Structures are given as C-alpha cells and as structure tokens.
Amino acid sequence: MGTAVPRLGVVYEHPEWFAPLFAELDRRGVPYDRIDVTAHAFDPAVRKIPWTIVLNRMSPSAHLRGHGQAIIYAREFLRYLEAAGADVINGADAFALETSKVTQLLLLDRLGLPAPRTRVINHPGAAPAAADGLVFPVAVKPNIGGSGAGIQRFDTPEALRMAAAAGTLDLGIDRTALVQEFLPARDGHIVRVEVMNRQFLYAIKVYPRPDGFNLCPADICQPGAEVPGTTPVGDLCPADLPKVALRVEAYTPPQTVVGDVLEIARAAHLDLAGVEYLVNDRDGRIYYYDVNALSNFVTDAPAIVGFDPYARLVDYLVARGGLRAPAPARR
C-alpha cells in the first residue's frame, strides 16, 4: 500500500443518495475521500493510492443520469484499486454481479434457489419466440438496468409481438435482455432483505400504491403504457419507497429466507446487499428476483426498522478499516 495511515475512499456517482453516509462520516471525523467517477481518470502503472479501504457505492442506473460512461469504468477502477492493495467493499466481482441480471440468475440457479422463468435475448426480434412456453404476463428487462430502466410488461403474446415489430423494446446499454415471467405477489407486497458484513441487517415489506404502482418480478413497477398491452416499469431506490409505496413496514423473514440471502451474499462476495423476493400467488412458493450490490437504505429507517443503518455502516467501516478520527491539535 502507498499509505500507512488508514483512510477510506467512497466510489460513487449519484449526487444525492449518499448524503446521509457522508454526514455520518463527517460527524465522526472519519478520514475519507469522495471519489466521484462521473469524470475520472487513473494511471494503471501507479500503485501508490491514498486509500487503505474503499467502499463501492456505484450504481448501474448511472446511464439514466447521463453518466453511462462511469459504469464499465467503475468496474475497471475497482479492479485497479484491488490490484493496488486496497480492501474494497463490494469490489469488482460484486459490481459485475450488480451490472448483470443474467449473472444474478445464474447465481440463483447455481445455489438451487427459485427465480422467475427467464429467457435471454440479444435482439428485440427474438423476444416473441423467447416467450414461447412462458406464462403471461411477461416482462422484458435490460440486463444492465438500474432504477427499472427500460423494463416493460406485456400482458399477451400479441402485445409483445406488436412491440417487437414496432421497434419499441429497449434491450439496454449492452443490448442484452431478459424475457421473464411476471409473477403476481401474494398479499400485494414484496420483501427486501438487507445484509451487512454478510449478516442479516433488516427486512421490509413494500406495498405499492393502487394508483399507479404494480409489482413485477423484478421490482416495483409504474404503469405508463406507450404501446397497447405494454407497461414501462421502473424499480425504486429504497430511499424513495415512502414516497411511492402504500406502506413500508419492518418484517422478520423466515429463517430459511435469511439463510438463503446470506448464502447469496457469501457466494457473490457481497459485503453489503439487498435481496428481493416475493411469494408467487399462483403456487405459494418464494421466488428470488433481484440481487442488489448497491443497497440504499430505506428513508426514515429509525422509524421503520428501529435503528439508523448508516450509523451501523460507519461502525462497520471504522472497524474493518481501522479508521480513526485525527487527534485534536495541541494548543
């Protein structure tokens, strides 16, 4: 390492999501730097870096904010930081999972965990044939999404064929997409389980509003059809849930679910994660459908789950990185 003094770097792109984290670090006087990768550069030959520990908070939805160039760049930058000797929390492997819904499905399959039936395509014209044998409705989801970018719901095969023919399917920035069964959530809610340091942190039930938000197999969805029979949908950052959900409430999942989520975190090298699942109202079984390496905490968490997750996150960073506030100057 290029420094003997423990110092934290926070890799991020979103201008607002991490204000509570930065505020908590500032309050405690923890030595850290904000590493905004929206316009950034590094020299691969330089191995002297100022950070002993790095927290990756990069979002795959950066392209929605005009920062698409930061997505693949962040993966390479994380690999560089790891090669330079930094202890990277949710490093390059975790971010590769974050930016590939296909990789997430392969992980769930490898672990023997149920997920919605899915086909993978690389051309819009392949979507109707890919949906053969699936139970409608289906959702077409870009492989690199984030904030529900480009996700569309189709209630009938004809609606999907019309969209493919009209050229309105969005396969996302890597031109790869999932055609996935849309599962009806029992009792109208999904569950998001948060883990930290590969331990259970909290879980919440999320109920959508009846005036425009539906649950899809991937995330909470907002109708707004532009093609008959289709519904563009968008997943929501947990920090936004109180604004758009009918209600959000704390929940204790079954121990089997907690065990599944912790196994996902271990297998994916996720130090922080948010895993979402629902109970399929058709068969009463649990299905996992989203693995988030970028896990933003729900707004007003103390009122909802009884504690401040940002305080615990900083506790974790301080302990793992041996971070200490600078001693006051002598007078």
Side-chain angles (χ1 to χ4, degrees):
M1 285 297 301
T3 177
V5 179
R7 188 171 187 85
L8 169 68
V10 181
V11 174
Y12 76 105
E13 165 274 335
H14 197 285
E16 299 174 356
W17 281 352
F18 310 113
L21 170 62
F22 295 146
E24 184 67 12
L25 289 168
D26 290 337
R27 186 184 70 80
R28 299 196 197 185
V30 174
Y32 80 101
D33 295 307
R34 306 180 187 188
I35 309 172
D36 184 346
V37 293
T38 58
H40 194 265
F42 68 92
D43 183 344
V46 174
R47 286 295 187 265
K48 185 177 181 180
I49 60 175
W51 312 290
T52 52
I53 182 171
V54 174
L55 173 64
N56 173 29
R57 297 284 75 192
M58 181 60 194
S59 169
S61 67
H63 60 100
L64 300 179
R65 294 176 290 279
H67 301 151
Q69 76 284 353
I71 296 174
I72 302 304
Y73 176 89
R75 184 190 65 196
E76 305 308 326
F77 183 51
L78 293 171
R79 294 199 190 282
Y80 162 71
L81 293 172
E82 291 168 346
D87 176 15
V88 182
I89 297 172
N90 277 9
D93 288 346
F95 189 60
L97 181 83
E98 173 78 87
T99 53
S100 174
K101 295 184 184 299
V102 174
T103 301
Q104 294 173 27
L105 283 171
L106 292 173
L107 173 66
L108 293 172
D109 182 71
R110 177 161 62 86
L111 296 177
L113 298 176
R117 289 201 300 165
T118 304
R119 313 283 167 71
V120 180
I121 61 173
N122 71 350
H123 190 280
D132 286 348
L134 298 182
V135 176
F136 277 74
V138 301
V140 177
K141 302 165 50 178
N143 184 47
I144 300 178
S147 298
I151 300 177
Q152 292 173 281
R153 168 182 163 173
F154 299 90
D155 292 331
T156 66
E158 178 60 24
L160 180 57
R161 286 193 294 270
M162 289 174 60
T168 57
L169 292 180
D170 181 1
L171 302 195
I173 61 176
D174 69 349
R175 307 305 297 162
T176 301
L178 282 58
V179 180
Q180 187 174 80
E181 288 187 348
F182 180 108
L183 304 183
R186 179 159 294 181
D187 299 325
H189 71 264
I190 60 96
V191 178
R192 183 180 177 101
V193 183
E194 302 281 357
V195 299
M196 179 186 299
N197 195 21
R198 300 178 194 175
Q199 299 178 32
F200 174 78
L201 185 64
Y202 69 82
I204 52 175
K205 284 183 179 179
V206 182
Y207 296 80
R209 291 187 183 277
D211 56 352
F213 282 82
N214 297 317
L215 290 171
C216 74
D219 304 287
I220 295 179
C221 309
Q222 182 177 18
E226 298 174 359
V227 178
T230 75
T231 303
V233 294
D235 65 343
L236 299 169
C237 167
D240 294 328
L241 292 180
K243 304 174 187 177
V244 297
L246 184 63
R247 71 179 186 273
V248 179
E249 61 188 39
Y251 177 64
T252 302
Q255 281 302 307
T256 53
V257 168
V258 173
D260 289 344
V261 172
L262 295 180
E263 180 59 24
I264 291 170
R266 284 190 293 269
H269 308 119
L270 292 170
D271 304 291
L272 300 167
V275 177
E276 296 179 16
Y277 73 91
L278 55 78
V279 176
N280 182 4
D281 199 42
R282 295 175 186 148
D283 60 17
R285 297 179 61 205
I286 285 174
Y287 288 79
Y288 298 93
Y289 62 84
D290 201 12
V291 181
N292 301 276
L294 178 64
S295 185
N296 293 307
F297 302 130
V298 66
T299 296
D300 201 17
I304 295 173
V305 300
F307 63 90
D308 181 2
Y310 284 104
R312 296 200 183 181
L313 175 55
V314 173
D315 288 343
Y316 171 53
L317 295 172
V318 167
R320 177 163 167 168
L323 302 171
R324 297 289 183 271
R330 292 184 179 181
R331 295 184 178 180

